[in-house]
Amino acid sequence: MTLRPFGKTQGRLRSRQGRPAGPGWAGLATGQAHTDALIVLGIDPGIAITGYGIVRVQGRDHTSLGFGAIRAPERLSRGERLLTIYRGLLQVIREWRPHEVAVEDFYAGHVRAAVAIGEARAMALLAAAQAELPVSLYKPLEVKQFVTSYGQGSKEQVQEMVRVLLELAEPPQPADAADALAVALCHCFRRASTPGRPGLSLTKGRGVRP
């Protein structure tokens, strides 16, 4: 999988050489990035396509550092597809070394689809746990409410609001990556509005928010 960061004011994707990996399992850098800003990895899990987006926030400024999608071909077995997702997310974490991870939770609906999304979500949780990163889970309705102020917004509306909030030249593609950026933004907004938590300073806590 090739990581393709997206510049804040650029209209196209460009390639970028990954940062050197630090110590850890399979070369995974479990340390966090050395910066005063908060770096959040948003993940939109899916068995076929898992979107990811990295948002840097400092004060009121939100910037997209990169986004993309991990694709697990249908020709692979279920186990191989999940392994592809897991390894892909480890690579993203190794590249960007986020401070926190936000994952979109699955919603009640078609049972078979819910199971598949749940399995992909488990890979996201496992990758974050391997890197010793705190994780927060958000329902799709909650993400839309925080990002678009309307819980029933369409995917196109989410993409456009993500573009506006991150000052991108174009709506992020694919839609899975836009959803992942929306999850990261939701986490930042939710984090800033939490009573007793001053702004978006870094925390030392670990664990999964239910």
PDB file of all heavy atoms in Angstrom, residues 100-135:
ATOM      1  N   GLU A 100      -3.592  10.097  19.069  1.00  0.00           N
ATOM      2  CA  GLU A 100      -4.863   9.461  19.408  1.00  0.00           C
ATOM      3  C   GLU A 100      -5.515   8.914  18.143  1.00  0.00           C
ATOM      4  O   GLU A 100      -5.227   9.378  17.028  1.00  0.00           O
ATOM      5  CB  GLU A 100      -5.798  10.461  20.104  1.00  0.00           C
ATOM      6  CG  GLU A 100      -5.234  10.985  21.419  1.00  0.00           C
ATOM      7  CD  GLU A 100      -6.110  12.028  22.090  1.00  0.00           C
ATOM      8  OE1 GLU A 100      -7.210  12.310  21.595  1.00  0.00           O
ATOM      9  OE2 GLU A 100      -5.670  12.571  23.117  1.00  0.00           O
ATOM     10  N   VAL A 101      -6.401   7.957  18.334  1.00  0.00           N
ATOM     11  CA  VAL A 101      -7.099   7.318  17.214  1.00  0.00           C
ATOM     12  C   VAL A 101      -8.603   7.421  17.431  1.00  0.00           C
ATOM     13  O   VAL A 101      -9.090   7.213  18.548  1.00  0.00           O
ATOM     14  CB  VAL A 101      -6.690   5.836  17.079  1.00  0.00           C
ATOM     15  CG1 VAL A 101      -7.466   5.165  15.943  1.00  0.00           C
ATOM     16  CG2 VAL A 101      -5.182   5.713  16.845  1.00  0.00           C
ATOM     17  N   ALA A 102      -9.319   7.751  16.377  1.00  0.00           N
ATOM     18  CA  ALA A 102     -10.783   7.805  16.413  1.00  0.00           C
ATOM     19  C   ALA A 102     -11.325   6.863  15.348  1.00  0.00           C
ATOM     20  O   ALA A 102     -10.903   6.921  14.191  1.00  0.00           O
ATOM     21  CB  ALA A 102     -11.279   9.230  16.171  1.00  0.00           C
ATOM     22  N   VAL A 103     -12.243   5.989  15.733  1.00  0.00           N
ATOM     23  CA  VAL A 103     -12.766   4.965  14.830  1.00  0.00           C
ATOM     24  C   VAL A 103     -14.284   5.098  14.733  1.00  0.00           C
ATOM     25  O   VAL A 103     -14.963   5.241  15.753  1.00  0.00           O
ATOM     26  CB  VAL A 103     -12.398   3.551  15.322  1.00  0.00           C
ATOM     27  CG1 VAL A 103     -12.936   2.487  14.368  1.00  0.00           C
ATOM     28  CG2 VAL A 103     -10.888   3.415  15.484  1.00  0.00           C
ATOM     29  N   GLU A 104     -14.805   5.031  13.515  1.00  0.00           N
ATOM     30  CA  GLU A 104     -16.259   5.041  13.352  1.00  0.00           C
ATOM     31  C   GLU A 104     -16.812   3.671  13.732  1.00  0.00           C
ATOM     32  O   GLU A 104     -16.345   2.645  13.234  1.00  0.00           O
ATOM     33  CB  GLU A 104     -16.649   5.385  11.915  1.00  0.00           C
ATOM     34  CG  GLU A 104     -18.163   5.503  11.733  1.00  0.00           C
ATOM     35  CD  GLU A 104     -18.549   6.082  10.396  1.00  0.00           C
ATOM     36  OE1 GLU A 104     -18.669   7.318  10.303  1.00  0.00           O
ATOM     37  OE2 GLU A 104     -18.714   5.300   9.431  1.00  0.00           O
ATOM     38  N   ASP A 105     -17.787   3.669  14.624  1.00  0.00           N
ATOM     39  CA  ASP A 105     -18.393   2.436  15.091  1.00  0.00           C
ATOM     40  C   ASP A 105     -19.452   2.002  14.092  1.00  0.00           C
ATOM     41  O   ASP A 105     -20.000   2.821  13.349  1.00  0.00           O
ATOM     42  CB  ASP A 105     -19.012   2.655  16.475  1.00  0.00           C
ATOM     43  CG  ASP A 105     -19.132   1.367  17.267  1.00  0.00           C
ATOM     44  OD1 ASP A 105     -18.765   0.314  16.719  1.00  0.00           O
ATOM     45  OD2 ASP A 105     -19.597   1.421  18.414  1.00  0.00           O
ATOM     46  N   PHE A 106     -19.770   0.712  14.037  1.00  0.00           N
ATOM     47  CA  PHE A 106     -20.805   0.256  13.123  1.00  0.00           C
ATOM     48  C   PHE A 106     -22.183   0.526  13.716  1.00  0.00           C
ATOM     49  O   PHE A 106     -22.340   0.721  14.920  1.00  0.00           O
ATOM     50  CB  PHE A 106     -20.639  -1.229  12.783  1.00  0.00           C
ATOM     51  CG  PHE A 106     -20.763  -2.152  13.967  1.00  0.00           C
ATOM     52  CD1 PHE A 106     -22.001  -2.645  14.350  1.00  0.00           C
ATOM     53  CD2 PHE A 106     -19.640  -2.542  14.685  1.00  0.00           C
ATOM     54  CE1 PHE A 106     -22.124  -3.500  15.427  1.00  0.00           C
ATOM     55  CE2 PHE A 106     -19.751  -3.397  15.771  1.00  0.00           C
ATOM     56  CZ  PHE A 106     -20.988  -3.871  16.144  1.00  0.00           C
ATOM     57  N   TYR A 107     -23.165   0.572  12.850  1.00  0.00           N
ATOM     58  CA  TYR A 107     -24.526   0.857  13.276  1.00  0.00           C
ATOM     59  C   TYR A 107     -25.404  -0.375  13.086  1.00  0.00           C
ATOM     60  O   TYR A 107     -25.104  -1.244  12.266  1.00  0.00           O
ATOM     61  CB  TYR A 107     -25.102   2.030  12.475  1.00  0.00           C
ATOM     62  CG  TYR A 107     -25.000   1.864  10.976  1.00  0.00           C
ATOM     63  CD1 TYR A 107     -26.006   1.232  10.253  1.00  0.00           C
ATOM     64  CD2 TYR A 107     -23.877   2.329  10.289  1.00  0.00           C
ATOM     65  CE1 TYR A 107     -25.903   1.066   8.883  1.00  0.00           C
ATOM     66  CE2 TYR A 107     -23.767   2.175   8.917  1.00  0.00           C
ATOM     67  CZ  TYR A 107     -24.780   1.542   8.227  1.00  0.00           C
ATOM     68  OH  TYR A 107     -24.662   1.372   6.871  1.00  0.00           O
ATOM     69  N   ALA A 108     -26.461  -0.440  13.858  1.00  0.00           N
ATOM     70  CA  ALA A 108     -27.388  -1.567  13.736  1.00  0.00           C
ATOM     71  C   ALA A 108     -28.080  -1.517  12.386  1.00  0.00           C
ATOM     72  O   ALA A 108     -28.584  -0.482  11.970  1.00  0.00           O
ATOM     73  CB  ALA A 108     -28.421  -1.512  14.855  1.00  0.00           C
ATOM     74  N   GLY A 109     -28.089  -2.613  11.702  1.00  0.00           N
ATOM     75  CA  GLY A 109     -28.704  -2.654  10.382  1.00  0.00           C
ATOM     76  C   GLY A 109     -28.648  -4.068   9.856  1.00  0.00           C
ATOM     77  O   GLY A 109     -28.984  -5.022  10.559  1.00  0.00           O
ATOM     78  N   HIS A 110     -28.207  -4.211   8.614  1.00  0.00           N
ATOM     79  CA  HIS A 110     -28.068  -5.522   8.009  1.00  0.00           C
ATOM     80  C   HIS A 110     -27.036  -6.322   8.806  1.00  0.00           C
ATOM     81  O   HIS A 110     -25.893  -5.893   8.989  1.00  0.00           O
ATOM     82  CB  HIS A 110     -27.615  -5.375   6.555  1.00  0.00           C
ATOM     83  CG  HIS A 110     -27.730  -6.643   5.768  1.00  0.00           C
ATOM     84  ND1 HIS A 110     -26.786  -7.659   5.858  1.00  0.00           N
ATOM     85  CD2 HIS A 110     -28.667  -7.076   4.906  1.00  0.00           C
ATOM     86  CE1 HIS A 110     -27.142  -8.654   5.064  1.00  0.00           C
ATOM     87  NE2 HIS A 110     -28.273  -8.328   4.468  1.00  0.00           N
ATOM     88  N   VAL A 111     -27.429  -7.479   9.288  1.00  0.00           N
ATOM     89  CA  VAL A 111     -26.580  -8.252  10.191  1.00  0.00           C
ATOM     90  C   VAL A 111     -25.261  -8.628   9.545  1.00  0.00           C
ATOM     91  O   VAL A 111     -24.189  -8.469  10.144  1.00  0.00           O
ATOM     92  CB  VAL A 111     -27.315  -9.530  10.663  1.00  0.00           C
ATOM     93  CG1 VAL A 111     -26.371 -10.394  11.496  1.00  0.00           C
ATOM     94  CG2 VAL A 111     -28.550  -9.162  11.462  1.00  0.00           C
ATOM     95  N   ARG A 112     -25.305  -9.094   8.316  1.00  0.00           N
ATOM     96  CA  ARG A 112     -24.078  -9.530   7.644  1.00  0.00           C
ATOM     97  C   ARG A 112     -23.116  -8.360   7.465  1.00  0.00           C
ATOM     98  O   ARG A 112     -21.908  -8.499   7.694  1.00  0.00           O
ATOM     99  CB  ARG A 112     -24.416 -10.151   6.289  1.00  0.00           C
ATOM    100  CG  ARG A 112     -23.218 -10.753   5.573  1.00  0.00           C
ATOM    101  CD  ARG A 112     -23.643 -11.486   4.312  1.00  0.00           C
ATOM    102  NE  ARG A 112     -22.510 -12.069   3.624  1.00  0.00           N
ATOM    103  CZ  ARG A 112     -22.606 -12.772   2.497  1.00  0.00           C
ATOM    104  NH1 ARG A 112     -23.798 -12.990   1.947  1.00  0.00           N
ATOM    105  NH2 ARG A 112     -21.531 -13.271   1.919  1.00  0.00           N
ATOM    106  N   ALA A 113     -23.641  -7.199   7.074  1.00  0.00           N
ATOM    107  CA  ALA A 113     -22.801  -6.011   6.897  1.00  0.00           C
ATOM    108  C   ALA A 113     -22.227  -5.564   8.236  1.00  0.00           C
ATOM    109  O   ALA A 113     -21.055  -5.169   8.326  1.00  0.00           O
ATOM    110  CB  ALA A 113     -23.608  -4.886   6.254  1.00  0.00           C
ATOM    111  N   ALA A 114     -23.047  -5.626   9.286  1.00  0.00           N
ATOM    112  CA  ALA A 114     -22.593  -5.214  10.613  1.00  0.00           C
ATOM    113  C   ALA A 114     -21.456  -6.097  11.099  1.00  0.00           C
ATOM    114  O   ALA A 114     -20.490  -5.616  11.709  1.00  0.00           O
ATOM    115  CB  ALA A 114     -23.758  -5.249  11.599  1.00  0.00           C
ATOM    116  N   VAL A 115     -21.552  -7.392  10.819  1.00  0.00           N
ATOM    117  CA  VAL A 115     -20.497  -8.326  11.227  1.00  0.00           C
ATOM    118  C   VAL A 115     -19.199  -7.996  10.494  1.00  0.00           C
ATOM    119  O   VAL A 115     -18.115  -7.955  11.101  1.00  0.00           O
ATOM    120  CB  VAL A 115     -20.921  -9.777  10.952  1.00  0.00           C
ATOM    121  CG1 VAL A 115     -19.724 -10.723  11.131  1.00  0.00           C
ATOM    122  CG2 VAL A 115     -22.058 -10.183  11.874  1.00  0.00           C
ATOM    123  N   ALA A 116     -19.280  -7.744   9.179  1.00  0.00           N
ATOM    124  CA  ALA A 116     -18.084  -7.440   8.392  1.00  0.00           C
ATOM    125  C   ALA A 116     -17.418  -6.155   8.874  1.00  0.00           C
ATOM    126  O   ALA A 116     -16.194  -6.084   9.030  1.00  0.00           O
ATOM    127  CB  ALA A 116     -18.452  -7.331   6.913  1.00  0.00           C
ATOM    128  N   ILE A 117     -18.239  -5.122   9.123  1.00  0.00           N
ATOM    129  CA  ILE A 117     -17.696  -3.854   9.611  1.00  0.00           C
ATOM    130  C   ILE A 117     -17.099  -4.042  11.001  1.00  0.00           C
ATOM    131  O   ILE A 117     -16.050  -3.477  11.325  1.00  0.00           O
ATOM    132  CB  ILE A 117     -18.796  -2.770   9.627  1.00  0.00           C
ATOM    133  CG1 ILE A 117     -19.242  -2.466   8.196  1.00  0.00           C
ATOM    134  CG2 ILE A 117     -18.289  -1.503  10.300  1.00  0.00           C
ATOM    135  CD1 ILE A 117     -20.428  -1.533   8.111  1.00  0.00           C
ATOM    136  N   GLY A 118     -17.769  -4.856  11.818  1.00  0.00           N
ATOM    137  CA  GLY A 118     -17.257  -5.119  13.155  1.00  0.00           C
ATOM    138  C   GLY A 118     -15.900  -5.793  13.129  1.00  0.00           C
ATOM    139  O   GLY A 118     -15.026  -5.497  13.947  1.00  0.00           O
ATOM    140  N   GLU A 119     -15.705  -6.698  12.175  1.00  0.00           N
ATOM    141  CA  GLU A 119     -14.414  -7.368  12.049  1.00  0.00           C
ATOM    142  C   GLU A 119     -13.327  -6.379  11.636  1.00  0.00           C
ATOM    143  O   GLU A 119     -12.205  -6.407  12.165  1.00  0.00           O
ATOM    144  CB  GLU A 119     -14.521  -8.502  11.036  1.00  0.00           C
ATOM    145  CG  GLU A 119     -15.363  -9.682  11.520  1.00  0.00           C
ATOM    146  CD  GLU A 119     -15.555 -10.732  10.446  1.00  0.00           C
ATOM    147  OE1 GLU A 119     -15.356 -10.410   9.252  1.00  0.00           O
ATOM    148  OE2 GLU A 119     -15.903 -11.870  10.801  1.00  0.00           O
ATOM    149  N   ALA A 120     -13.657  -5.491  10.694  1.00  0.00           N
ATOM    150  CA  ALA A 120     -12.692  -4.479  10.263  1.00  0.00           C
ATOM    151  C   ALA A 120     -12.396  -3.510  11.399  1.00  0.00           C
ATOM    152  O   ALA A 120     -11.249  -3.080  11.582  1.00  0.00           O
ATOM    153  CB  ALA A 120     -13.230  -3.729   9.045  1.00  0.00           C
ATOM    154  N   ARG A 121     -13.424  -3.165  12.161  1.00  0.00           N
ATOM    155  CA  ARG A 121     -13.222  -2.287  13.312  1.00  0.00           C
ATOM    156  C   ARG A 121     -12.267  -2.930  14.314  1.00  0.00           C
ATOM    157  O   ARG A 121     -11.416  -2.267  14.916  1.00  0.00           O
ATOM    158  CB  ARG A 121     -14.551  -1.986  13.997  1.00  0.00           C
ATOM    159  CG  ARG A 121     -14.432  -0.980  15.141  1.00  0.00           C
ATOM    160  CD  ARG A 121     -15.668  -0.944  15.997  1.00  0.00           C
ATOM    161  NE  ARG A 121     -15.834  -2.181  16.761  1.00  0.00           N
ATOM    162  CZ  ARG A 121     -16.656  -2.338  17.791  1.00  0.00           C
ATOM    163  NH1 ARG A 121     -17.427  -1.338  18.159  1.00  0.00           N
ATOM    164  NH2 ARG A 121     -16.736  -3.484  18.432  1.00  0.00           N
ATOM    165  N   ALA A 122     -12.395  -4.253  14.501  1.00  0.00           N
ATOM    166  CA  ALA A 122     -11.513  -4.967  15.420  1.00  0.00           C
ATOM    167  C   ALA A 122     -10.056  -4.841  14.982  1.00  0.00           C
ATOM    168  O   ALA A 122      -9.157  -4.731  15.817  1.00  0.00           O
ATOM    169  CB  ALA A 122     -11.924  -6.435  15.508  1.00  0.00           C
ATOM    170  N   MET A 123      -9.797  -4.854  13.675  1.00  0.00           N
ATOM    171  CA  MET A 123      -8.432  -4.682  13.177  1.00  0.00           C
ATOM    172  C   MET A 123      -7.902  -3.290  13.499  1.00  0.00           C
ATOM    173  O   MET A 123      -6.721  -3.112  13.823  1.00  0.00           O
ATOM    174  CB  MET A 123      -8.384  -4.926  11.668  1.00  0.00           C
ATOM    175  CG  MET A 123      -8.732  -6.361  11.239  1.00  0.00           C
ATOM    176  SD  MET A 123      -7.669  -7.626  11.997  1.00  0.00           S
ATOM    177  CE  MET A 123      -8.713  -8.171  13.363  1.00  0.00           C
ATOM    178  N   ALA A 124      -8.796  -2.281  13.424  1.00  0.00           N
ATOM    179  CA  ALA A 124      -8.396  -0.915  13.768  1.00  0.00           C
ATOM    180  C   ALA A 124      -8.049  -0.816  15.250  1.00  0.00           C
ATOM    181  O   ALA A 124      -7.041  -0.210  15.633  1.00  0.00           O
ATOM    182  CB  ALA A 124      -9.516   0.066  13.412  1.00  0.00           C
ATOM    183  N   LEU A 125      -8.865  -1.434  16.090  1.00  0.00           N
ATOM    184  CA  LEU A 125      -8.609  -1.419  17.532  1.00  0.00           C
ATOM    185  C   LEU A 125      -7.323  -2.162  17.867  1.00  0.00           C
ATOM    186  O   LEU A 125      -6.545  -1.740  18.726  1.00  0.00           O
ATOM    187  CB  LEU A 125      -9.790  -2.032  18.281  1.00  0.00           C
ATOM    188  CG  LEU A 125     -11.146  -1.323  18.141  1.00  0.00           C
ATOM    189  CD1 LEU A 125     -12.213  -2.067  18.933  1.00  0.00           C
ATOM    190  CD2 LEU A 125     -11.049   0.121  18.602  1.00  0.00           C
ATOM    191  N   LEU A 126      -7.095  -3.273  17.172  1.00  0.00           N
ATOM    192  CA  LEU A 126      -5.898  -4.059  17.420  1.00  0.00           C
ATOM    193  C   LEU A 126      -4.642  -3.289  17.017  1.00  0.00           C
ATOM    194  O   LEU A 126      -3.633  -3.291  17.751  1.00  0.00           O
ATOM    195  CB  LEU A 126      -5.968  -5.380  16.645  1.00  0.00           C
ATOM    196  CG  LEU A 126      -4.796  -6.352  16.822  1.00  0.00           C
ATOM    197  CD1 LEU A 126      -4.623  -6.737  18.286  1.00  0.00           C
ATOM    198  CD2 LEU A 126      -4.989  -7.576  15.947  1.00  0.00           C
ATOM    199  N   ALA A 127      -4.692  -2.608  15.863  1.00  0.00           N
ATOM    200  CA  ALA A 127      -3.538  -1.835  15.404  1.00  0.00           C
ATOM    201  C   ALA A 127      -3.229  -0.703  16.377  1.00  0.00           C
ATOM    202  O   ALA A 127      -2.067  -0.442  16.700  1.00  0.00           O
ATOM    203  CB  ALA A 127      -3.798  -1.283  14.007  1.00  0.00           C
ATOM    204  N   ALA A 128      -4.271  -0.023  16.863  1.00  0.00           N
ATOM    205  CA  ALA A 128      -4.080   1.062  17.822  1.00  0.00           C
ATOM    206  C   ALA A 128      -3.511   0.525  19.138  1.00  0.00           C
ATOM    207  O   ALA A 128      -2.620   1.136  19.743  1.00  0.00           O
ATOM    208  CB  ALA A 128      -5.394   1.794  18.071  1.00  0.00           C
ATOM    209  N   ALA A 129      -4.026  -0.619  19.576  1.00  0.00           N
ATOM    210  CA  ALA A 129      -3.540  -1.219  20.816  1.00  0.00           C
ATOM    211  C   ALA A 129      -2.080  -1.635  20.678  1.00  0.00           C
ATOM    212  O   ALA A 129      -1.289  -1.493  21.614  1.00  0.00           O
ATOM    213  CB  ALA A 129      -4.399  -2.427  21.198  1.00  0.00           C
ATOM    214  N   GLN A 130      -1.719  -2.158  19.508  1.00  0.00           N
ATOM    215  CA  GLN A 130      -0.335  -2.562  19.268  1.00  0.00           C
ATOM    216  C   GLN A 130       0.601  -1.368  19.399  1.00  0.00           C
ATOM    217  O   GLN A 130       1.730  -1.497  19.891  1.00  0.00           O
ATOM    218  CB  GLN A 130      -0.212  -3.171  17.865  1.00  0.00           C
ATOM    219  CG  GLN A 130       1.188  -3.623  17.495  1.00  0.00           C
ATOM    220  CD  GLN A 130       1.648  -4.824  18.311  1.00  0.00           C
ATOM    221  OE1 GLN A 130       0.999  -5.858  18.291  1.00  0.00           O
ATOM    222  NE2 GLN A 130       2.752  -4.681  19.022  1.00  0.00           N
ATOM    223  N   ALA A 131       0.131  -0.190  18.981  1.00  0.00           N
ATOM    224  CA  ALA A 131       0.941   1.028  19.063  1.00  0.00           C
ATOM    225  C   ALA A 131       0.741   1.765  20.377  1.00  0.00           C
ATOM    226  O   ALA A 131       1.275   2.851  20.564  1.00  0.00           O
ATOM    227  CB  ALA A 131       0.591   1.953  17.897  1.00  0.00           C
ATOM    228  N   GLU A 132      -0.050   1.184  21.284  1.00  0.00           N
ATOM    229  CA  GLU A 132      -0.314   1.757  22.604  1.00  0.00           C
ATOM    230  C   GLU A 132      -0.938   3.151  22.502  1.00  0.00           C
ATOM    231  O   GLU A 132      -0.563   4.081  23.228  1.00  0.00           O
ATOM    232  CB  GLU A 132       0.980   1.809  23.431  1.00  0.00           C
ATOM    233  CG  GLU A 132       1.604   0.447  23.649  1.00  0.00           C
ATOM    234  CD  GLU A 132       2.882   0.512  24.473  1.00  0.00           C
ATOM    235  OE1 GLU A 132       3.270   1.629  24.876  1.00  0.00           O
ATOM    236  OE2 GLU A 132       3.491  -0.543  24.718  1.00  0.00           O
ATOM    237  N   LEU A 133      -1.912   3.290  21.593  1.00  0.00           N
ATOM    238  CA  LEU A 133      -2.580   4.571  21.383  1.00  0.00           C
ATOM    239  C   LEU A 133      -3.995   4.538  21.954  1.00  0.00           C
ATOM    240  O   LEU A 133      -4.701   3.535  21.807  1.00  0.00           O
ATOM    241  CB  LEU A 133      -2.648   4.893  19.889  1.00  0.00           C
ATOM    242  CG  LEU A 133      -1.309   5.107  19.187  1.00  0.00           C
ATOM    243  CD1 LEU A 133      -1.521   5.276  17.691  1.00  0.00           C
ATOM    244  CD2 LEU A 133      -0.574   6.302  19.770  1.00  0.00           C
ATOM    245  N   PRO A 134      -4.452   5.627  22.580  1.00  0.00           N
ATOM    246  CA  PRO A 134      -5.827   5.689  23.066  1.00  0.00           C
ATOM    247  C   PRO A 134      -6.807   5.760  21.902  1.00  0.00           C
ATOM    248  O   PRO A 134      -6.513   6.370  20.868  1.00  0.00           O
ATOM    249  CB  PRO A 134      -5.859   6.984  23.895  1.00  0.00           C
ATOM    250  CG  PRO A 134      -4.764   7.819  23.319  1.00  0.00           C
ATOM    251  CD  PRO A 134      -3.691   6.851  22.882  1.00  0.00           C
ATOM    252  N   VAL A 135      -7.963   5.121  22.055  1.00  0.00           N
ATOM    253  CA  VAL A 135      -8.953   5.040  20.981  1.00  0.00           C
ATOM    254  C   VAL A 135     -10.295   5.551  21.461  1.00  0.00           C
ATOM    255  O   VAL A 135     -10.705   5.310  22.603  1.00  0.00           O
ATOM    256  CB  VAL A 135      -9.121   3.575  20.498  1.00  0.00           C
ATOM    257  CG1 VAL A 135     -10.138   3.497  19.368  1.00  0.00           C
ATOM    258  CG2 VAL A 135      -7.786   3.004  20.058  1.00  0.00           C
TER     259      VAL A 135
END
